[in-house]
Amino acid sequence: MAVAIRQPGWYRGAIGLVLGAAFGFCLVVGLRLLSGLDAFQTEQTGYPQVVVPLITAPFGFLFGFGAFDYWFRWAAGKPTIPEDHSGHGATKWQDYFKFNTDHKVIGTQYVVTTLFFFLVGGLLALLMRAELAQPGTQIVAANTFNGLFSTHAVVMIFLFIIPVFAGLANYVLPLMIGAPDMAFPRLNALSFWLLPIAGLIFLGSFLAPGGSFDAGWTGYAPLSTGAPLGQSFFNIGVQFAGASSIATALNFLVTIITMRAPGMNLWRMPLLVWANLSTSLLVVGATPFVAGAQFMVFFDRILGMNFFNFLEGGDVISYQHIFWFYSHPAVYIMMLPGFGIISEIISTHARKPVFGYRLMALALIGIVVLSYSVWAHHMFVAGMFSWLRVPIMITTMLIAVPTGIKVFSWLGTLFYGKIHTYSTAMLFALAFIITFTVGGISGVMLGMIPIDIHVSDTYFVVAHIHFVLFGGSVFTIFAGIYHWFPKMTGRMYDERLGRIHFWGTLVGTWMTFIPMHWIGMDGMPRRVADYASQYGDWNLLISVSAFVLGAVQLIFLYNMIVSWRFGPKAGPNPWRANSIEWQVSSPPPVFNFDEIPRVVGGPYEYGTPGARHAIMGGEGEGAEVPETKPSTVTVPS
Amino acid sequence: MTRLPILKMVLAVIVLGVVQSVILLQFNWFGDEASTAAKPIDTLLDVTIVLSSFIFAIVCVALGYALIKWRAKPGDESDGLPIHGNTRLEIIWTIIPVIIVLGLAGYSWAVLDDIEKTDADALHINAYAQQFAWTFGYPEDGNKWSEGELHVPVDRQVIFDLQAQDVIHSFWVPEWRIKKDAVPGLETDVVVTPDKEGTYSLICAELCGLGHTTMRATVVVESEAKYKAWLKKQTTEVPEDILKTTDQYDADQLKKEEKSGGIEGSGVIEQ
Ligand code: HEM
Ligand SMILES: [Cu+2]
Ligand SMILES: [Cu+2]
C-alpha cells in the first residue's frame, strides 16, 4: 500500500485530487477570511470556493497520476531514464487505464472515451426530442431544456467529434508516416487525460446549484456572464478540452514535420496526413481564442471585470467576434480530418489513386486559409459593423470552392475504378459524399446574407449543422472506425451488422434532419422547448426518426464490443491497402517498426504494376525496388 | 479505356435537375410574404434552389453512374486504372464553382442593398426587448407605449430602433423576412415596409434565458387611419426605467464616439 501510494497511478491520483481540491478551497476561504469577508460567497456568478477547487483538483489528480513525474525529475536535475518504456504499450487491459505513452494505446483510449461521450450526448439529444415530439411541455421544463441543448452540443463538439479525430489520427498517423511514435509521447498522454477531466467538469455542472450551463454551446455574453454557477463549469471545462486539443495539434505538427520516414516528401504523404496537418494549423491558431473568450466571461463572472458589461463600458458584441474567430475554424477542425479519412477509404476500396492528389492537398490548405476569414457569417444579424457583412459573405461562399474540389475529386477517384462495397467503411464513405453535399449546399445558402437574415437562428441552421456534423463528420468517424478496426484490434467486425448499422444510420439521418430544413424556413426558431402547433406533425416525425437513429447506434456498439473480443482474426492488410500502417501486423508491434520503412512512391499507386509506396525494414537490401514513376493516363474528354 | 457517355450523363443531370427544381419550387418555403423585402428574398431563394438542384444532380449522377459501371465483381482482385488526375478537368471544377458563387454573392449583395434602402419619411418605432417581453415606443406620436402588441401602418417604411435592456434578443417577423439582434449597449435597427394587412407574430430568435421560447409579441399591420386611431387610444408613455437604460448607453456611446472620433456604422444599418 505504502509503495502503491508513492508510485504514480490511481491511488496517488486520488490523493492528489483531494489535496488539490483542499488546496484550492483553503486558498479561497483563507484569503477571504484574511480580507475580512465571509468565508463563502454564494452569488450565482460567484462561488469561488467551488470554482477554484474545480481548477486545482484536476491538476492535483494529474500530479498524482504521474503526468508530470518525468518532467519534474528532469527539471530538478535528477537522473532520468530516457529509455524507460515502463509506461509504454499495453499487454493487459489495465494498461489502458494508466498514464500510457504509446500512441496506439492513447489512440484507443481516445476513441473509446469519446464514444462513451457520444452515447451521453446522444441520450441528452433524445431527451430533447422526447420533449419536442409534441407541442406543449411534457417531460422537461424550459430551464432544464436549455441545459440539455447546451450540454448536448458541448459534449458532442468538445468531447466527441474533435477528440475522436485526434484519437484516430493518434493511432494511424505515426504508422502512416513510418514513425515509431508521436514526437512528444508524454505530452500526448497528458493531452488524453485532460479530456475525461473536461468531460467530468461539463457533466458535473448538472450538480451545481441552478443546474447545468444553459446559455447554449455558444455561451453568448451577457446571458452567460449573469448565468448561474453551471456556466463557470463550462468556462473551465473548455480550458481543459482546449489545452488538450492545442497540445495534440502541436504534437501532430512536430510529428508530421520532423518524423516522416526517409523518402516521404510532402507529395508522398497520404491525404489523411495532409488533413491532420491542416487541422492542426487551425487548432493552434484558433483554439486560443475560445479559451480567451471563456476566460473573459469567467473573469466577468468571478472577478467582476467588465469585458462584456455594457453598463460599465463593456462591449457585448466583441464576445461573438472572439468566439467565432475560433468556432468557425472549429467547424473545419471537425471536418478536415474526416476528409482525410474519406480519401484513404475511397482510394483503397475503389483500387485507384486519389484523383487530383495535389489539388486535394492544396484544397485543404485553401480551406485553412479561408477559414480564418469567415467567422462573422455567424453574425450577419448580430448587429455588427454592417460593412463587414459583404466581404465575409464572399469569403464564406468561396469556401464552397475547395470543398467542391474535394467532392468532385472523390467522385473522379471512383471513375474507372474497381469499387468494392462489401466493407461498411466504404458504404459510409460513399453516403458521406451525398449527405455532405446537402450540408454544403445549405451552408452556401446560409452564407447568402438575405437568406441568412430570415433563417438564422431557426431550425434551418440546426438542419445545416447536423447534415455537416452528423451526415458529414460522424459518417467519416464511423467510416474510419470500421476501416481501422482490424488494425487497432487485430480482429474483423461483423459486416452484416455493419450494413444494418449503415442503412439505419443513413435513413435515420435523412429522416431526422431533412424536415428540420422545412420547419426552419417556415418560421420555427431554434433553442426552444415548445413551438407553434402547426409544426407538431413534422416534429413528431423528427422525434421518431431520432429515436430510430439512436437505437441503431446500439448495433454499432454491440458489433464493436463483441468483435473486439470474439471477431475472426484479421490479417495485417485485410483491405489490400498501400499505406504503411497496413504493412505491419494487426495490431502493430509496440514500437511499430523494427526498422524504419523507406518511402519510394506515392501512397495511392493502385493499378500501376510493381509500384510501391514503402519498403519495409524486414525486406532487407535484396528487396531493393527502383523508384517507380507513376504512370499517367488521362481521361478522354 | 472506355469513353464516358458524356451526352447521356449530361441528359441525366438535366432531367434530374429539372425534376428536382420543379418539385422544390412547388412549395412556398419561407411562408407568407408580407413585406416588400419578401419578394426579392424569395426569388433569390428560388434561384438558389434551382442552381443547387443541378449541383446535387451532378453529384448523384456521377456517383450513381460510377457505382453501376465500376462496381467490382465479388472476388475481383484487380485494380482500377491508374489515373492520377486531369488538369483540365480540375481547372474546370475550380473555375466554374468560383463563377457560380461569385454570381450568387453579387446577386445577394444587390438584394441586400435593395431591402435595406431607407426612405426619408420612414416611420421610427422603438422596440424594447427585455427578458421576456417586447414593448414598443412610438416617438413620433408623443412617445406612446404599447406592451406585447405592435401596430404599424401598411405600405409605409418603418425603421425599428432596437434596444435590449438586459441580454441579447432578436427581432424576427417571419412573414417580413427580416431579423436583427437587439444588443445591450449597441443601437441596432432594422428596416421593413409591411405591404400586407394582417396579424403576425414577432418572435425572439436569440436565446435569452428561461422564457426565450415564449418571448413573442403580436404584430398588427393595418391601414394608416386605423393605426392612427389605435395610437390615439393608447394612454401610457414609455416608462422612465426603460428610458434610463437606453439613455445610459446613449451617454456611453457618445463618450466612445468622442474618444474615437466617431465609430462608423457600429452595427447600425446605413442611416
Ligand atoms: C460549404 C461550406 C459551409 C458553409 C458555406 C457554411 C456556412 C455557414 C453559415 C453561414 C452559418 C451561420 C448560420 C447562422 O447562424 O445564421 C453556419 C453555421 C454552422 N455551420 Fe456551416 N457552413 C459550411 C460547412 C460547415 C461544416 C463542414 C461544418 C462542420 C462540420 C459546419 C458547421 C456549422 C455549425 C456547427 C454551425 C452553427 C453554429 C451555431 O450557431 O451553433 N458548417 N454555416
Ligand atoms: Cu461558420
Ligand atoms: Cu429570446
Side-chain angles (χ1 to χ4, degrees):
Chain A
M1 190 67 195
V3 182
I5 287 174
R6 262 190 282 142
Q7 287 299 317
W10 285 100
Y11 285 121
R12 224 182 68 177
I15 293 171
L17 182 78
V18 173
L19 289 180
F23 171 73
F25 184 80
C26 295
L27 187 70
V28 170
V29 173
L31 285 176
R32 286 185 65 86
L33 289 178
L34 272 181
S35 335
L37 300 166
D38 292 342
F40 301 126
Q41 196 257 55
T42 50
E43 262 170 52
Q44 65 170 4
T45 58
Y47 280 102
Q49 69 275 16
V50 176
V51 296
V52 173
L54 203 60
I55 300 169
T56 52
F59 280 104
F61 166 75
L62 289 170
F63 284 127
F65 198 55
F68 304 112
D69 280 26
Y70 187 95
W71 291 333
F72 279 170
R73 228 177 292 133
W74 179 79
K78 298 217 182 103
T80 54
I81 324 158
E83 294 306 312
D84 173 17
H85 295 307
S86 57
H88 206 86
T91 50
K92 49 189 187 314
W93 65 267
Q94 286 94 335
D95 291 339
Y96 286 92
F97 292 85
K98 287 200 317 210
F99 190 79
N100 204 309
T101 49
D102 180 350
H103 76 96
K104 299 184 289 301
V105 175
I106 295 172
T108 310
Q109 287 174 327
Y110 261 107
V111 173
V112 173
T113 310
T114 51
L115 284 178
F116 166 75
F117 283 112
F118 180 42
L119 210 67
V120 173
L123 288 175
L124 294 169
L126 291 184
L127 259 175
M128 270 187 282
R129 280 322 315 178
E131 168 57 42
L132 291 172
Q134 289 189 354
T137 303
Q138 292 92 25
I139 294 171
V140 291
N143 55 343
T144 324
F145 188 87
N146 289 1
L148 285 179
F149 65 69
S150 305
T151 43
H152 159 72
V154 166
V155 165
M156 287 299 195
I157 291 171
F158 291 109
L159 290 166
F160 173 51
I161 297 189
I162 295 177
V164 76
F165 281 130
L168 283 169
N170 233 300
Y171 201 104
V172 298
L173 190 141
L175 288 162
M176 269 187 169
I177 62 173
D181 203 317
M182 295 278 278
F184 307 118
R186 290 179 200 91
L187 185 65
N188 200 16
L190 176 61
S191 307
F192 166 72
W193 284 101
L194 289 171
L195 264 197
I197 291 173
L200 288 179
I201 293 175
F202 288 143
L203 295 180
S205 75
F206 277 105
L207 304 176
S212 67
F213 50 92
D214 59 359
W217 80 281
T218 48
Y220 277 11
L223 187 59
S224 54
T225 51
L229 176 59
Q231 193 66 35
S232 295
F233 281 57
F234 172 63
N235 300 151
I236 294 170
V238 167
Q239 306 305 331
F240 285 99
S244 164
S245 314
I246 295 172
T248 306
L250 283 171
N251 219 338
F252 279 135
L253 285 178
V254 177
T255 308
I256 295 168
I257 292 168
T258 65
M259 291 177 67
R260 279 169 290 141
M264 181 172 282
N265 60 34
L266 285 185
W267 298 123
R268 283 176 180 169
M269 294 196 313
L271 283 168
L272 184 122
V273 180
W274 272 105
N276 279 284
L277 179 70
S278 316
T279 307
S280 301
L281 288 172
L282 283 173
V283 172
V284 292
T287 307
F289 284 80
V290 75
Q294 296 318 318
F295 266 134
M296 289 162 88
V297 169
F298 187 66
F299 291 158
D300 269 15
R301 294 169 56 81
I302 299 291
L303 303 177
M305 294 189 177
N306 292 316
F307 290 114
F308 308 122
N309 180 353
F310 68 101
L311 289 175
E312 299 294 337
D315 183 5
V316 169
I317 215 162
S318 61
Y319 174 84
Q320 296 172 36
H321 282 293
I322 307 170
F323 178 81
W324 288 114
F325 197 77
Y326 161 73
S327 289
H328 179 79
V331 310
Y332 279 96
I333 291 168
M334 294 186 265
M335 196 63 258
L336 298 188
F339 285 175
I341 291 173
I342 296 302
S343 298
E344 300 302 321
I345 293 175
I346 288 193
S347 164
T348 304
H349 289 275
R351 316 299 310 159
K352 254 197 67 199
V354 170
F355 194 92
Y357 165 85
R358 290 192 180 202
L359 192 61
M360 285 290 259
L362 292 176
L364 288 168
I365 300 297
I367 290 175
V368 170
V369 174
L370 277 175
S371 270
Y372 280 111
S373 64
V374 302
W375 78 94
H377 64 215
H378 297 272
M379 302 166 60
F380 284 150
V381 299
M384 62 159 183
F385 321 104
S386 49
W387 60 264
L388 187 56
R389 295 176 304 169
V390 169
I392 290 278
M393 164 168 74
I394 293 170
T395 49
T396 297
M397 295 179 71
L398 281 176
I399 283 212
V401 174
T403 313
I405 290 174
K406 307 228 53 126
V407 170
F408 295 132
S409 302
W410 288 318
L411 293 171
T413 308
L414 295 173
F415 275 55
Y416 298 101
K418 285 277 162 64
I419 307 169
H420 294 273
T421 50
Y422 58 86
S423 111
T424 309
M426 183 63 164
L427 294 178
F428 270 109
L430 295 172
F432 160 82
I433 298 180
I434 293 283
T435 310
F436 181 73
T437 302
V438 176
I441 288 173
S442 62
V444 172
M445 293 168 76
L446 287 169
M448 299 162 63
I449 303 166
I451 292 184
D452 184 68
I453 289 175
H454 179 63
V455 292
S456 179
D457 280 313
T458 68
Y459 258 77
F460 189 85
V461 174
V462 180
H464 163 68
I465 66 188
H466 286 91
F467 255 81
V468 286
L469 286 173
F470 206 111
S473 311
V474 177
F475 274 31
T476 68
I477 290 163
F478 284 140
I481 291 178
Y482 281 115
H483 189 65
W484 283 292
F485 184 86
K487 183 52 59 184
M488 296 172 76
T489 63
R491 292 179 185 271
M492 293 304 286
Y493 58 88
D494 183 340
E495 294 286 7
R496 203 175 48 88
L497 288 180
R499 265 197 298 280
I500 297 174
H501 172 230
F502 165 73
W503 286 107
T505 305
L506 181 62
V507 175
T509 305
W510 280 66
M511 299 265 291
T512 307
F513 300 119
I514 280 281
M516 289 186 182
H517 292 100
W518 304 338
I519 55 178
M521 290 195 279
D522 198 40
M524 179 166 158
R526 72 191 280 209
R527 293 175 167 167
V528 289
D530 190 10
Y531 47 83
S533 52
Q534 82 227 52
Y535 305 122
D537 293 346
W538 286 123
N539 272 293
L540 183 61
L541 173 72
I542 292 170
S543 289
V544 171
S545 311
F547 273 88
V548 173
L549 183 58
V552 171
Q553 305 318 313
L554 298 179
I555 301 176
F556 166 72
L557 284 184
Y558 172 84
N559 194 0
M560 293 295 108
I561 294 169
V562 172
S563 306
W564 195 346
R565 191 95 175 75
F566 304 109
K569 285 249 176 329
N573 194 357
W575 316 126
R576 300 185 293 122
N578 274 2
S579 45
I580 299 176
E581 82 273 25
W582 297 105
Q583 316 310 321
V584 294
S585 62
S586 299
V590 181
F591 293 104
N592 297 354
F593 309 103
D594 298 329
E595 207 181 295
I596 296 298
R598 219 149 29 86
V599 176
V600 294
Y604 307 114
E605 298 304 330
Y606 300 102
T608 309
R612 297 281 300 272
H613 174 47
I615 299 172
M616 303 306 289
E619 296 178 46
E621 289 304 310
E624 195 71 42
V625 175
E627 299 237 341
T628 38
K629 279 220 179 60
S631 57
T632 35
V633 183
T634 39
V635 194
S637 45
Chain B
M1 187 161 63
T2 47
R3 286 187 74 90
L4 292 175
I6 301 281
L7 198 68
K8 275 192 203 150
M9 290 169 77
V10 171
L11 269 177
V13 168
I14 290 175
V15 170
L16 195 59
V18 168
V19 170
Q20 276 176 31
S21 308
V22 168
I23 293 175
L24 291 176
L25 290 179
Q26 296 308 307
F27 299 92
N28 183 12
W29 295 110
F30 284 176
D32 295 340
E33 300 175 338
S35 82
T36 52
K39 269 265 143 42
I41 292 181
D42 290 8
T43 311
L44 177 65
L45 176 72
D46 289 345
V47 171
T48 314
I49 284 178
V50 172
L51 276 172
S52 308
S53 296
F54 281 92
I55 289 166
F56 189 64
I58 291 174
V59 175
C60 288
V61 167
L63 183 66
Y65 183 78
L67 280 179
I68 292 167
K69 177 88 198 220
W70 291 294
R71 186 111 168 233
K73 313 242 161 6
D76 180 355
E77 299 233 319
S78 62
D79 284 347
L81 287 183
I83 302 165
H84 285 81
N86 178 329
T87 311
R88 186 144 43 112
L89 206 57
E90 288 165 35
I91 290 174
I92 291 175
W93 68 43
T94 308
I95 299 293
I96 292 185
V98 169
I99 295 170
I100 293 177
V101 296
L102 287 183
L104 274 181
Y107 181 13
S108 300
W109 191 358
V111 172
L112 183 69
D113 270 354
D114 180 29
I115 63 179
E116 289 187 343
K117 238 186 243 119
T118 47
D119 299 344
D121 70 334
L123 174 66
H124 277 264
I125 295 180
N126 289 319
Y128 304 105
Q130 70 195 114
Q131 290 170 325
F132 301 95
W134 295 97
T135 56
F136 308 93
Y138 302 82
E140 296 181 6
D141 299 272
N143 221 12
K144 291 273 183 60
W145 194 52
S146 71
E147 285 177 275
E149 192 172 307
L150 165 69
H151 283 244
V152 290
V154 72
D155 291 330
R156 168 154 178 217
Q157 188 175 66
V158 188
I159 297 177
F160 291 97
D161 294 302
L162 307 177
Q163 265 136 23
Q165 307 287 311
D166 37 42
V167 300
I168 304 173
H169 303 271
S170 196
F171 181 104
W172 182 37
V173 180
E175 290 82 358
W176 287 349
R177 306 285 189 274
I178 46 96
K179 182 183 291 126
K180 186 57 103 16
D181 285 4
V183 184
L186 197 68
E187 275 182 33
T188 59
D189 60 13
V190 63
V191 187
V192 64
T193 312
D195 64 357
K196 201 162 130 203
E197 290 181 33
T199 309
Y200 308 97
S201 286
L202 165 57
I203 300 172
C204 174
E206 181 65 58
L207 177 65
C208 56
L210 291 188
H212 167 59
T213 303
T214 48
M215 184 169 164
R216 297 190 169 214
T218 312
V219 180
V220 179
V221 182
E222 56 200 356
S223 65
E224 183 86 33
K226 273 198 196 149
Y227 167 72
K228 280 268 156 9
W230 174 83
L231 254 189
K232 203 164 273 154
K233 270 193 285 172
Q234 304 308 306
T235 47
T236 31
E237 285 185 14
V238 179
E240 275 303 304
D241 55 334
I242 284 192
L243 287 176
K244 220 161 53 204
T245 351
T246 315
D247 287 349
Q248 170 82 41
Y249 22 95
D250 285 349
D252 286 348
Q253 200 69 18
L254 211 67
K255 254 188 271 163
K256 261 202 240 166
E257 281 174 30
E258 275 164 9
K259 254 188 253 158
S260 66
I263 26 179
E264 261 177 76
S266 59
V268 187
I269 305 172
E270 270 73 279
Q271 314 257 291

